[in-house]
Amino acid sequence: MAFGVVGSPATLDPYSPVASDLTDELAVPVYPSLFRFDPHGHPHPYLAAAIKAIPGGVRVKLRIARWSDGHPVTAADVVRTWRRARSPSGLRR
């Protein structure tokens, strides 16, 4: 699939305060998420292998995944990304 855009985004960092809808469209395919949503809005596991409610939150088990440089995606990566996504960041997933 190919598509074109007019202009360029201020940033490709989806968690930047200057992130825009164009950032969202271009960067989301690059950053793995715990879940992806199908066209009907139903979540499907992506990085998450399982999720379980526990007192005070949830426990997420990650599937085995690697970054483009071959390093494993870890729970620390997920936590770091979640912390960056908190307000006042830009678009959040």
Side-chain angles (χ1 to χ4, degrees):
M1 180 167 115
F3 64 93
V5 297
V6 176
S8 60
T11 181
L12 290 176
D13 179 355
Y15 306 117
S16 168
V18 297
S20 67
D21 57 343
L22 184 54
T23 300
D24 191 39
E25 291 302 317
L26 295 174
V28 165
V30 175
Y31 292 92
S33 298
L34 293 174
F35 296 90
R36 295 282 188 200
F37 293 92
D38 68 21
H40 304 289
H42 300 113
H44 295 277
Y46 185 58
L47 283 178
I51 188 167
K52 179 181 179 183
I54 60 171
V58 296
R59 177 174 292 133
V60 177
K61 180 179 179 181
L62 299 178
R63 70 172 176 82
I64 297 171
R66 297 195 173 275
W67 293 104
S68 59
D69 64 3
H71 286 89
V73 175
T74 66
D77 295 324
V78 173
V79 170
R80 188 171 32 257
T81 300
W82 180 83
R83 287 181 176 152
R84 285 194 67 226
R86 291 185 296 187
S87 190
S89 76
L91 301 168
R92 285 165 269 165
R93 289 230 175 243

